[in-house]
Coordinates of all heavy atoms in Angstrom, one line a residue:
M1 N 10.4 18.5 3.8 CA 10.2 17.1 3.2 C 8.6 17.0 3.2 O 7.9 17.2 4.0 CB 10.7 16.1 4.2 CG 10.4 14.7 3.8 SD 10.7 13.5 5.1 CE 12.3 13.1 4.7
I2 N 8.2 16.4 2.0 CA 6.8 16.1 1.8 C 6.4 14.9 2.5 O 7.0 13.8 2.3 CB 6.4 16.1 0.3 CG1 6.8 17.5 -0.4 CG2 5.0 15.7 0.0 CD1 6.7 17.5 -1.8
E3 N 5.4 15.0 3.3 CA 5.0 13.7 4.0 C 4.2 12.8 3.1 O 3.2 13.3 2.5 CB 4.2 14.1 5.2 CG 3.7 12.9 6.0 CD 3.0 13.3 7.2 OE1 3.6 13.8 8.3 OE2 1.8 13.1 7.4
T4 N 4.5 11.6 3.2 CA 3.7 10.6 2.5 C 3.3 9.6 3.5 O 3.9 9.3 4.5 CB 4.4 9.8 1.4 OG1 5.0 10.7 0.4 CG2 3.7 8.7 0.8
R5 N 1.9 9.3 3.6 CA 1.3 8.4 4.5 C 0.8 7.2 4.0 O 0.2 7.2 2.9 CB 0.2 9.2 5.2 CG -0.5 8.4 6.3 CD -1.6 9.2 6.9 NE -1.1 10.5 7.5 CZ -1.0 10.8 8.7 NH1 -1.3 9.8 9.6 NH2 -0.6 11.9 9.1
I6 N 1.1 6.0 4.6 CA 0.4 4.8 4.2 C -0.5 4.4 5.3 O 0.0 4.1 6.4 CB 1.6 3.7 3.9 CG1 2.5 4.2 2.8 CG2 0.9 2.4 3.5 CD1 3.7 3.4 2.6
V7 N -1.7 4.2 5.0 CA -2.7 3.8 5.9 C -3.1 2.3 5.7 O -3.4 1.9 4.5 CB -3.9 4.5 6.0 CG1 -5.0 4.1 6.9 CG2 -3.5 6.1 6.1
V8 N -2.8 1.4 6.7 CA -3.2 -0.1 6.5 C -4.7 -0.1 6.8 O -5.1 0.0 7.9 CB -2.4 -0.9 7.4 CG1 -2.7 -2.4 7.1 CG2 -0.9 -0.7 7.2
R9 N -5.5 -0.4 5.8 CA -6.9 -0.4 6.0 C -7.3 -1.8 6.4 O -6.9 -2.8 5.8 CB -7.7 -0.2 4.7 CG -7.4 1.2 4.0 CD -8.0 2.3 4.7 NE -9.5 2.1 4.9 CZ -10.4 2.5 4.0 NH1 -10.2 3.1 3.0 NH2 -11.8 2.4 4.4
N10 N -8.1 -2.0 7.5 CA -8.6 -3.1 8.0 C -9.4 -3.9 6.9 O -10.2 -3.1 6.3 CB -9.4 -3.1 9.2 CG -8.6 -2.8 10.5 OD1 -7.4 -3.2 10.6 ND2 -9.1 -2.2 11.4
N11 N -9.1 -5.2 6.6 CA -9.8 -5.9 5.7 C -9.7 -5.3 4.3 O -10.6 -5.5 3.5 CB -11.2 -6.1 6.0 CG -11.4 -6.5 7.4 OD1 -10.6 -7.4 7.9 ND2 -12.3 -6.1 8.1
G12 N -8.7 -4.5 4.0 CA -8.6 -3.9 2.6 C -7.1 -3.5 2.3 O -6.2 -4.2 2.9
P13 N -7.0 -2.5 1.4 CA -5.6 -2.3 0.9 C -4.8 -1.3 1.8 O -5.2 -1.0 2.8 CB -6.1 -1.4 -0.4 CG -7.3 -0.7 -0.1 CD -8.1 -1.7 0.8
Y14 N -3.5 -1.2 1.2 CA -2.7 0.0 1.7 C -3.1 1.2 1.0 O -3.1 1.2 -0.2 CB -1.3 -0.3 1.4 CG -0.8 -1.5 2.1 CD1 -0.4 -2.7 1.3 CD2 -0.4 -1.6 3.5 CE1 0.1 -3.8 1.9 CE2 0.1 -2.7 4.0 CZ 0.4 -3.9 3.2 OH 0.8 -5.1 3.8
R15 N -3.5 2.2 1.7 CA -3.9 3.5 1.1 C -2.7 4.5 1.3 O -2.3 4.6 2.4 CB -5.2 4.0 1.8 CG -5.6 5.4 1.3 CD -6.8 5.9 2.2 NE -7.1 7.2 2.0 CZ -8.0 7.8 1.1 NH1 -8.8 7.0 0.5 NH2 -8.3 9.1 1.1
I16 N -2.2 4.9 0.1 CA -1.1 5.8 0.2 C -1.6 7.2 -0.3 O -2.2 7.5 -1.2 CB -0.1 5.4 -0.9 CG1 0.4 4.0 -0.7 CG2 1.2 6.3 -0.9 CD1 1.3 3.3 -1.7
E17 N -1.1 8.1 0.7 CA -1.6 9.6 0.5 C -0.3 10.4 0.4 O 0.6 10.3 1.2 CB -2.5 10.0 1.6 CG -3.7 9.1 1.9 CD -4.3 9.4 3.3 OE1 -3.8 10.2 4.1 OE2 -5.4 8.9 3.5
G18 N -0.3 11.3 -0.6 CA 1.0 12.2 -0.7 C 0.9 13.1 -2.0 O 0.2 12.7 -2.9
D19 N 1.6 14.0 -1.9 CA 1.6 15.0 -3.0 C 2.5 14.6 -4.2 O 2.5 15.0 -5.3 CB 2.1 16.4 -2.6 CG 1.0 17.1 -1.8 OD1 -0.2 16.7 -1.8 OD2 1.4 17.9 -0.9
N20 N 3.3 13.6 -3.9 CA 4.4 13.2 -5.0 C 4.6 11.8 -4.9 O 5.7 11.2 -4.6 CB 5.7 13.9 -4.9 CG 6.5 13.7 -6.2 OD1 6.1 13.3 -7.2 ND2 7.7 13.8 -5.9
I21 N 3.5 10.9 -5.0 CA 3.6 9.4 -4.9 C 4.4 8.8 -6.2 O 4.1 9.1 -7.3 CB 2.2 8.8 -4.8 CG1 1.6 9.3 -3.6 CG2 2.4 7.3 -4.7 CD1 0.1 9.0 -3.5
I22 N 5.5 8.1 -5.9 CA 6.0 7.4 -7.0 C 6.1 5.9 -6.6 O 6.6 5.4 -5.6 CB 7.6 7.9 -7.1 CG1 7.6 9.4 -7.5 CG2 8.3 7.2 -8.2 CD1 9.0 10.1 -7.3
I23 N 5.5 5.2 -7.6 CA 5.5 3.7 -7.4 C 6.2 3.1 -8.7 O 5.8 3.5 -9.8 CB 4.1 3.1 -7.3 CG1 3.4 3.7 -6.1 CG2 4.1 1.6 -7.2 CD1 2.0 3.5 -5.9
T24 N 7.2 2.2 -8.5 CA 7.9 1.7 -9.6 C 7.7 0.2 -9.6 O 7.4 -0.4 -8.6 CB 9.3 2.1 -9.7 OG1 10.1 1.4 -8.6 CG2 9.6 3.6 -9.5
D25 N 8.0 -0.3 -10.8 CA 8.2 -1.9 -10.9 C 9.5 -2.2 -10.5 O 10.3 -1.3 -10.2 CB 7.7 -2.4 -12.3 CG 8.7 -1.9 -13.4 OD1 9.7 -1.4 -13.0 OD2 8.3 -2.0 -14.5
E26 N 9.9 -3.5 -10.6 CA 11.1 -3.8 -10.0 C 12.3 -3.4 -10.8 O 13.3 -3.3 -10.3 CB 11.2 -5.4 -10.0 CG 12.4 -6.1 -9.3 CD 12.2 -7.5 -9.1 OE1 11.5 -8.0 -8.3 OE2 13.0 -8.2 -9.7
A27 N 12.0 -3.0 -12.0 CA 13.1 -2.4 -12.9 C 13.2 -0.8 -12.7 O 14.0 -0.4 -13.3 CB 12.8 -2.8 -14.3
G28 N 12.3 -0.4 -11.9 CA 12.5 1.1 -11.6 C 11.5 2.0 -12.5 O 11.6 3.1 -12.4
R29 N 10.8 1.2 -13.4 CA 9.9 2.1 -14.3 C 8.6 2.5 -13.5 O 8.0 1.7 -12.8 CB 9.4 1.2 -15.5 CG 10.4 0.8 -16.4 CD 9.9 -0.1 -17.5 NE 9.5 -1.2 -17.0 CZ 10.2 -2.4 -17.1 NH1 11.4 -2.4 -17.8 NH2 9.6 -3.6 -16.8
P30 N 8.3 3.8 -13.5 CA 7.2 4.3 -12.7 C 5.9 4.0 -13.3 O 5.7 3.9 -14.5 CB 7.5 5.8 -12.6 CG 8.3 6.1 -14.0 CD 9.1 4.8 -14.2
Y31 N 5.0 3.6 -12.5 CA 3.5 3.6 -12.9 C 3.0 4.9 -13.1 O 3.3 5.8 -12.4 CB 2.7 2.8 -11.8 CG 2.9 1.3 -11.6 CD1 3.9 0.9 -10.7 CD2 2.4 0.5 -12.4 CE1 4.2 -0.5 -10.7 CE2 2.5 -0.9 -12.3 CZ 3.6 -1.3 -11.3 OH 3.7 -2.7 -11.3
G32 N 2.1 5.0 -14.0 CA 1.6 6.3 -14.4 C 0.3 6.5 -13.3 O -0.6 5.8 -13.5
L33 N 0.4 7.5 -12.6 CA -0.7 7.7 -11.6 C -1.6 8.9 -11.9 O -2.5 9.1 -11.1 CB -0.1 7.9 -10.2 CG 0.9 6.8 -9.6 CD1 1.3 7.1 -8.3 CD2 0.2 5.5 -9.7
A34 N -1.4 9.5 -13.1 CA -2.3 10.5 -13.6 C -2.5 11.5 -12.5 O -3.5 12.1 -12.4 CB -3.5 9.8 -14.0
G35 N -1.4 11.8 -11.8 CA -1.6 12.9 -10.9 C -2.3 12.7 -9.5 O -2.6 13.6 -8.8
R36 N -2.6 11.4 -9.3 CA -3.3 11.1 -8.2 C -2.6 11.4 -6.9 O -1.4 11.1 -6.8 CB -3.8 9.6 -8.1 CG -4.9 9.4 -9.0 CD -5.1 7.8 -9.1 NE -6.3 7.5 -9.8 CZ -6.4 7.4 -11.1 NH1 -5.3 7.6 -11.8 NH2 -7.5 7.1 -11.7
T37 N -3.1 11.9 -5.9 CA -2.6 12.1 -4.6 C -3.0 11.0 -3.6 O -2.6 11.1 -2.3 CB -2.9 13.5 -4.1 OG1 -4.4 13.6 -3.8 CG2 -2.2 14.6 -4.8
V38 N -3.8 10.1 -4.0 CA -4.3 8.9 -3.2 C -4.3 7.7 -4.1 O -5.0 7.8 -5.2 CB -5.6 9.2 -2.6 CG1 -6.0 7.9 -1.7 CG2 -5.6 10.4 -1.7
V39 N -3.7 6.6 -3.7 CA -3.8 5.4 -4.4 C -3.8 4.2 -3.4 O -3.4 4.4 -2.3 CB -2.6 5.1 -5.4 CG1 -2.6 6.1 -6.6 CG2 -1.3 5.1 -4.7
S40 N -4.4 3.3 -3.8 CA -4.6 2.0 -3.0 C -3.9 0.9 -3.5 O -4.1 0.5 -4.7 CB -6.1 1.6 -2.7 OG -6.6 2.7 -1.9
L41 N -3.1 0.2 -2.7 CA -2.4 -1.0 -3.2 C -2.9 -2.2 -2.6 O -3.3 -2.2 -1.4 CB -0.8 -1.0 -2.8 CG -0.1 0.2 -3.4 CD1 1.4 0.1 -3.0 CD2 -0.1 0.2 -4.9
C42 N -3.0 -3.3 -3.5 CA -3.7 -4.6 -3.1 C -2.9 -5.2 -1.8 O -1.6 -5.3 -2.0 CB -3.8 -5.5 -4.2 SG -4.6 -7.0 -3.8
R43 N -3.5 -5.7 -0.9 CA -3.0 -6.4 0.2 C -3.5 -7.8 0.3 O -3.0 -8.7 1.2 CB -3.3 -5.6 1.6 CG -2.4 -5.9 2.8 CD -2.6 -4.9 3.8 NE -3.9 -4.7 4.5 CZ -4.3 -5.4 5.6 NH1 -3.4 -6.2 6.1 NH2 -5.5 -5.3 6.1
C44 N -4.7 -8.0 -0.4 CA -5.2 -9.4 -0.3 C -4.6 -10.3 -1.4 O -4.8 -11.5 -1.2 CB -6.8 -9.3 -0.5 SG -7.3 -8.9 -2.2
G45 N -4.0 -9.9 -2.4 CA -3.4 -10.7 -3.4 C -4.3 -11.1 -4.5 O -3.9 -11.9 -5.4
T46 N -5.6 -10.6 -4.6 CA -6.5 -11.1 -5.5 C -6.9 -10.0 -6.6 O -7.7 -10.4 -7.5 CB -7.8 -11.6 -4.9 OG1 -8.5 -10.4 -4.5 CG2 -7.5 -12.6 -3.9
S47 N -6.3 -8.8 -6.6 CA -6.7 -7.8 -7.5 C -6.3 -8.3 -8.9 O -5.2 -8.7 -9.1 CB -6.0 -6.5 -7.1 OG -6.2 -5.6 -8.2
A48 N -7.0 -7.8 -9.9 CA -6.7 -8.1 -11.3 C -5.8 -7.0 -11.8 O -5.4 -7.0 -13.0 CB -8.0 -8.2 -12.1
T49 N -5.6 -5.9 -11.0 CA -4.9 -4.7 -11.4 C -3.7 -4.5 -10.5 O -3.4 -3.4 -10.2 CB -5.7 -3.4 -11.6 OG1 -6.3 -3.2 -10.3 CG2 -6.8 -3.6 -12.6
K50 N -3.1 -5.6 -10.0 CA -2.0 -5.5 -9.0 C -0.9 -4.6 -9.8 O -0.7 -4.7 -10.9 CB -1.3 -6.7 -8.8 CG -2.1 -7.7 -7.9 CD -1.4 -8.9 -7.4 CE -2.3 -10.1 -7.2 NZ -2.8 -10.8 -8.4
P51 N -0.3 -3.7 -8.9 CA -0.3 -3.7 -7.5 C -1.5 -2.9 -7.0 O -1.5 -2.8 -5.7 CB 1.0 -3.0 -7.2 CG 1.2 -2.1 -8.2 CD 0.6 -2.7 -9.4
F52 N -2.4 -2.3 -7.8 CA -3.5 -1.5 -7.3 C -4.6 -2.4 -6.8 O -4.9 -3.4 -7.4 CB -3.8 -0.6 -8.4 CG -2.6 0.3 -8.8 CD1 -2.0 0.1 -10.0 CD2 -2.2 1.4 -8.0 CE1 -0.9 0.9 -10.4 CE2 -1.1 2.1 -8.4 CZ -0.4 1.8 -9.5
C53 N -5.4 -1.8 -5.9 CA -6.5 -2.5 -5.4 C -7.7 -2.3 -6.4 O -7.7 -1.1 -6.9 CB -6.9 -1.9 -4.1 SG -8.4 -2.4 -3.4
D54 N -8.5 -3.3 -6.7 CA -9.6 -3.1 -7.5 C -10.9 -3.3 -6.8 O -12.0 -3.6 -7.5 CB -9.5 -3.9 -8.9 CG -9.6 -5.5 -8.6 OD1 -9.7 -5.8 -7.4 OD2 -9.5 -6.2 -9.6
G55 N -10.9 -3.5 -5.5 CA -12.1 -3.7 -4.7 C -12.4 -5.2 -4.5 O -13.4 -5.5 -3.8
N56 N -11.6 -6.0 -5.1 CA -12.0 -7.5 -5.0 C -11.8 -8.0 -3.6 O -12.4 -9.0 -3.4 CB -11.1 -8.3 -6.0 CG -11.7 -9.7 -6.3 OD1 -12.8 -9.7 -6.7 ND2 -10.9 -10.8 -6.1
H57 N -11.1 -7.3 -2.8 CA -11.0 -7.8 -1.3 C -12.4 -8.0 -0.7 O -12.5 -8.8 0.1 CB -10.1 -6.9 -0.6 CG -10.6 -5.4 -0.5 ND1 -10.2 -4.5 -1.5 CD2 -11.3 -4.8 0.4 CE1 -10.7 -3.4 -1.2 NE2 -11.6 -3.6 -0.2
N58 N -13.3 -7.2 -1.1 CA -14.7 -7.2 -0.6 C -15.4 -8.6 -1.1 O -16.0 -9.2 -0.3 CB -15.5 -6.1 -1.0 CG -15.1 -4.9 -0.3 OD1 -15.0 -4.9 0.9 ND2 -15.1 -3.6 -0.9
R59 N -15.2 -8.8 -2.3 CA -15.7 -10.1 -3.0 C -15.2 -11.4 -2.4 O -16.0 -12.3 -2.3 CB -15.7 -10.0 -4.5 CG -16.5 -8.9 -5.2 CD -16.4 -9.1 -6.6 NE -15.3 -8.4 -7.2 CZ -15.0 -7.1 -7.3 NH1 -15.9 -6.3 -7.0 NH2 -13.9 -6.7 -7.8
V60 N -13.9 -11.3 -2.0 CA -13.3 -12.5 -1.5 C -13.4 -12.7 0.1 O -13.0 -13.6 0.5 CB -11.9 -12.8 -2.0 CG1 -11.8 -12.8 -3.6 CG2 -10.9 -11.6 -1.4
G61 N -13.9 -11.6 0.6 CA -14.0 -11.6 2.1 C -12.7 -11.5 2.8 O -12.5 -12.2 3.8
F62 N -11.7 -10.8 2.2 CA -10.4 -10.6 2.8 C -10.5 -10.1 4.2 O -11.2 -9.2 4.6 CB -9.6 -9.7 2.0 CG -8.2 -9.4 2.6 CD1 -7.2 -10.4 2.7 CD2 -7.9 -8.1 2.9 CE1 -6.0 -10.2 3.2 CE2 -6.6 -7.8 3.4 CZ -5.6 -8.8 3.6
Q63 N -9.8 -10.8 5.2 CA -9.9 -10.4 6.6 C -8.5 -10.1 7.1 O -7.7 -11.2 7.0 CB -10.6 -11.5 7.4 CG -12.0 -11.7 7.1 CD -12.9 -10.7 7.7 OE1 -12.9 -10.3 8.8 NE2 -13.8 -10.2 6.7
S64 N -8.3 -9.1 7.7 CA -7.0 -8.7 8.2 C -7.1 -7.4 9.2 O -7.2 -6.4 8.5 CB -5.9 -8.6 7.1 OG -4.7 -8.2 7.8
Q65 N -7.1 -7.6 10.3 CA -7.2 -6.5 11.2 C -5.8 -6.1 11.7 O -5.1 -7.0 12.2 CB -7.9 -6.8 12.5 CG -9.3 -7.4 12.3 CD -10.4 -6.3 11.8 OE1 -10.3 -5.2 12.4 NE2 -11.2 -6.4 10.9
C66 N -5.4 -4.9 11.4 CA -4.0 -4.5 11.8 C -4.0 -3.3 12.8 O -4.9 -2.4 12.6 CB -3.2 -4.0 10.5 SG -2.8 -5.4 9.4
E67 N -3.2 -3.3 13.8 CA -3.1 -2.3 14.7 C -1.6 -1.8 14.8 O -0.7 -2.7 14.7 CB -3.6 -2.7 16.1 CG -3.7 -1.8 17.1 CD -4.5 -2.3 18.3 OE1 -5.6 -2.8 18.1 OE2 -3.9 -2.2 19.4
A68 N -1.3 -0.5 14.9 CA 0.1 0.0 14.9 C 0.8 -0.7 16.0 O 0.3 -1.0 17.1 CB 0.0 1.5 15.1
L69 N 2.1 -1.0 15.6 CA 3.0 -1.6 16.7 C 4.4 -1.0 16.5 O 4.7 -0.3 15.6 CB 3.0 -3.2 16.5 CG 3.3 -3.7 15.2 CD1 4.8 -3.6 14.8 CD2 2.8 -5.1 15.1
E70 N 5.3 -1.3 17.4 CA 6.6 -0.8 17.3 C 7.5 -1.9 16.9 O 7.4 -3.1 17.5 CB 7.1 -0.4 18.7 CG 6.4 0.8 19.4 CD 6.7 2.1 18.7 OE1 7.8 2.3 18.0 OE2 5.8 3.0 18.6
L71 N 8.4 -1.7 15.8 CA 9.3 -2.7 15.4 C 10.6 -2.7 16.2 O 10.9 -1.6 16.7 CB 9.7 -2.3 14.0 CG 8.7 -2.7 12.9 CD1 9.2 -2.2 11.5 CD2 8.2 -4.0 12.8
P72 N 11.2 -3.7 16.5 CA 12.5 -3.7 17.2 C 13.5 -2.9 16.3 O 13.3 -2.7 15.2 CB 12.8 -5.3 17.2 CG 12.2 -6.0 16.1 CD 11.0 -5.1 15.9
P73 N 14.6 -2.5 17.1 CA 15.6 -1.7 16.4 C 16.2 -2.6 15.3 O 16.3 -3.9 15.4 CB 16.6 -1.4 17.4 CG 15.9 -1.6 18.7 CD 14.8 -2.6 18.5
P74 N 16.7 -2.1 14.2 CA 17.3 -2.8 13.1 C 18.6 -3.4 13.5 O 19.3 -2.9 14.4 CB 17.6 -1.8 12.0 CG 17.4 -0.5 12.6 CD 16.7 -0.6 13.8
K75 N 18.8 -4.7 13.0 CA 20.1 -5.3 13.4 C 21.4 -4.6 12.8 O 21.2 -4.2 11.7 CB 20.1 -6.7 13.0 CG 19.1 -7.6 13.7 CD 19.1 -9.0 13.3 CE 18.0 -9.8 14.0 NZ 17.5 -11.1 13.3
P76 N 22.4 -4.5 13.5 CA 23.5 -3.8 12.9 C 24.1 -4.6 11.7 O 24.0 -5.8 11.6 CB 24.7 -3.9 14.1 CG 24.0 -4.5 15.2 CD 22.6 -5.0 14.8
K77 N 24.5 -3.9 10.7 CA 25.1 -4.4 9.5 C 26.6 -4.9 9.8 O 27.2 -4.2 10.4 CB 25.0 -3.6 8.3 CG 23.5 -3.2 8.1 CD 23.3 -2.4 6.8 CE 21.9 -2.1 6.6 NZ 21.6 -1.4 5.4
P78 N 26.8 -6.1 9.3 CA 28.2 -6.6 9.5 C 29.2 -5.8 8.7 O 29.1 -5.1 7.8 CB 28.2 -8.0 9.0 CG 27.0 -8.2 8.2 CD 26.1 -7.0 8.5
Ligands
FES101 S1 -6.7 -5.3 -1.2 FE1 -8.3 -4.6 -2.6 S2 -8.2 -6.1 -4.1 FE2 -6.7 -6.7 -2.8

């Protein structure tokens, strides 16, 4: 299995690293990534190129410090 990693950048985007990144819109159409193995997705909501980060988080002073945590187990499905 090829590992894909998502790094939550403090005060910035989600950085996705992987050899075969696939990002689709809601209809399942893939975004053309031009062979990139690293892309950043906007986390601040102000990018003009959503879902991709365009660096605007710096201009708007986006603040969000995130630290890894453990999620509770998923609830059983009925
Ligand atoms: S996180 Fe970079 S523009 Fe939103």
Side-chain angles (χ1 to χ4, degrees):
M1 174 193 272
I2 298 171
E3 178 177 290
T4 298
R5 178 182 302 257
I6 301 173
V7 179
V8 183
R9 304 283 311 269
N10 285 333
N11 309 322
Y14 298 109
R15 179 183 163 101
I16 303 173
E17 306 166 352
D19 289 334
N20 189 26
I21 300 169
I22 299 171
I23 301 172
T24 71
D25 64 15
E26 191 170 288
R29 293 181 295 257
Y31 288 90
L33 303 180
R36 284 174 173 78
T37 57
V38 175
V39 293
S40 293
L41 297 182
C42 179
R43 196 162 68 91
C44 74
T46 67
S47 173
T49 59
K50 290 186 208 74
F52 302 101
C53 171
D54 66 358
N56 202 47
H57 58 272
N58 287 318
R59 288 183 283 281
V60 299
F62 177 62
Q63 297 287 308
S64 175
Q65 305 282 321
C66 292
E67 194 170 300
L69 53 77
E70 297 289 330
L71 291 176
K75 292 181 180 157
K77 295 186 178 175

